[in-house]
Amino acid sequence: MSDPKLIRGRIVRAQSGFFDVETELGQHTAQLRGRLKQEQLETDVAAVGDQVEIRVLPDGSAMIETVAPRSRVLSRQAPGREAEQVLVANLDLGVFVFACAEPDPIPGQLRMLDRMLVGAERESIPVLICANKVDLVDPQEARRIFGRYAEIGYQLLYTSALTGEGIDTLRSALADHVSVFAGPSGTGKSSLLRALQPDIELRIGEVSEATGKGTHTTVAPKLVKLDSGGYVADTPGVKAFALWDIEPEELDAYFREIAPLVADCAFSNCTHIHEPGCAVLRALEVGEIHSERYDSYVRLRSS
């Protein structure tokens, strides 16, 4: 029988060891119980999206007593240390937002998108790629940059917070789900959320005219309740997305256009980089695999 003094809830914000937990009895700011803190060496024991049980103390403070097992997580290697940083737990949809311009989608940013897709594939997270600020480029140019992802089966949506293009479709995709908006700074994640729900309390930043790079507008992950149902997490702009706990030999399984070809390679341990009889290299030669996607694979495989 569960402890009647424990209250179940969901973490909706996490920052500097404090967690805002939404429960049926209201929202509480809680900290981890000491024994849970000891488990934080290799991963975030508690993160936005986690289902937890809290105990409210007589002074009004609260402690997180238990964290339920997660269904799936979007995570990366924590910057500067050998540990997993969980961006959002228990999510239904990953919305990866990249700009068609301002900032320009340079190869390095698209390689980041490829790494994020690998992380999502590993966790079986459904993905929606938002090619945002489509009003700033010719539609054909937007398709040239991002069309490769639709060709391999990812849901791709061209959006503009300024003109409203794609906003209704995006709103429908988010309804009744726990979703995360993730991508580099300045790509318009917060502006899209404001377009989806004008009263949403997010700070909107501008791209620096001097550097062309985005400014961080969101300082900590947080889940925001949507009028259409469900929650969406706006995350800080990602400067780097290093994969966590994925071995090089696993990677071919997480590239959608490569995975079906592996069984046709001459060698069972094929790296798909230099071996004779490699089905992936054959597909690359005839244009069935996009060269920049393959470059992302090779960079990850060789790192």
Side-chain angles (χ1 to χ4, degrees):
M1 184 177 296
S2 61
D3 188 335
K5 296 180 182 179
L6 295 180
I7 305 172
R8 293 182 179 179
R10 185 201 309 266
I11 296 176
V12 295
R13 182 180 172 88
Q15 186 171 19
S16 302
F18 290 89
F19 304 88
D20 291 344
V21 181
E22 184 178 280
T23 77
E24 291 183 353
L25 302 178
Q27 187 166 297
H28 297 273
T29 298
Q31 292 181 277
L32 286 174
R33 179 64 72 188
R35 58 183 169 75
L36 291 176
K37 288 183 180 180
Q38 297 174 6
E39 301 175 16
Q40 291 235 111
L41 295 178
E42 290 192 358
T43 187
D44 294 319
V45 172
V48 166
D50 270 324
Q51 299 284 349
V52 299
E53 289 182 320
I54 65 172
R55 188 186 305 275
V56 180
L57 304 179
D59 64 1
S61 63
M63 302 299 295
I64 295 175
E65 299 285 351
T66 67
V67 181
R70 296 162 175 158
S71 59
R72 51 170 74 106
V73 298
L74 180 65
S75 65
R76 63 176 178 176
Q77 181 173 317
R81 61 192 180 98
E82 287 292 324
E84 179 184 28
Q85 180 185 35
V86 178
L87 300 178
V88 183
N90 302 312
L91 71 162
D92 303 309
L93 179 67
V95 182
F96 298 157
V97 183
F98 285 74
C100 294
E102 297 184 13
D104 293 335
I106 58 177
Q109 285 203 355
L110 294 182
R111 286 196 293 270
M112 180 193 294
L113 173 55
D114 292 333
R115 292 193 297 274
M116 293 171 70
L117 291 172
V118 167
E121 291 286 342
R122 193 262 181 87
E123 290 288 312
S124 299
I125 299 170
V127 168
L128 170 61
I129 298 172
C130 267
N132 195 31
K133 303 186 184 181
V134 70
D135 56 286
L136 298 179
V137 298
D138 182 274
Q140 289 186 346
E141 176 64 7
R143 287 193 293 271
R144 184 193 67 80
I145 297 168
F146 291 99
R148 70 191 72 166
Y149 296 101
E151 292 171 1
I152 56 176
Y154 286 107
Q155 187 178 2
L156 174 63
L157 182 63
Y158 296 98
T159 56
S160 169
L162 182 64
T163 68
E165 181 174 348
I167 298 300
D168 288 342
T169 302
L170 181 57
R171 184 181 294 111
S172 297
L174 299 177
D176 299 320
H177 292 319
V178 176
S179 308
V180 60
F181 273 40
S185 297
T187 54
K189 299 184 298 295
S190 295
S191 297
L192 278 179
L193 289 171
R194 184 69 61 86
L196 287 165
Q197 189 165 306
D199 63 349
I200 211 160
E201 294 182 0
L202 296 169
R203 289 184 293 143
I204 306 299
E206 297 180 352
V207 174
S208 166
E209 294 182 1
T211 65
K213 296 180 180 179
T215 57
H216 289 286
T217 60
T218 305
V219 296
K222 56 186 173 182
L223 278 180
V224 181
K225 186 175 288 187
L226 295 173
D227 293 340
S228 56
Y231 294 82
V232 62
D234 187 27
T235 61
V238 176
K239 289 186 177 180
F241 194 91
L243 297 174
W244 171 253
D245 196 30
I246 294 179
E247 299 297 329
E249 58 269 19
E250 296 178 65
L251 285 168
D252 54 15
Y254 304 134
F255 278 76
R256 288 190 174 186
E257 64 274 61
I258 291 177
L261 303 174
V262 172
D264 296 328
C265 290
F267 300 98
S268 60
N269 61 346
C270 187
T271 66
H272 319 302
I273 296 176
H274 55 75
E275 293 86 351
C278 174
V280 174
L281 290 176
R282 286 199 301 269
L284 178 67
E285 289 175 1
V286 299
E288 294 176 357
I289 294 176
H290 196 284
S291 60
E292 290 182 13
R293 281 279 292 173
Y294 177 74
D295 180 61
S296 287
Y297 167 80
V298 172
R299 285 170 179 264
L300 286 171
R301 190 72 167 79
S302 304
S303 62

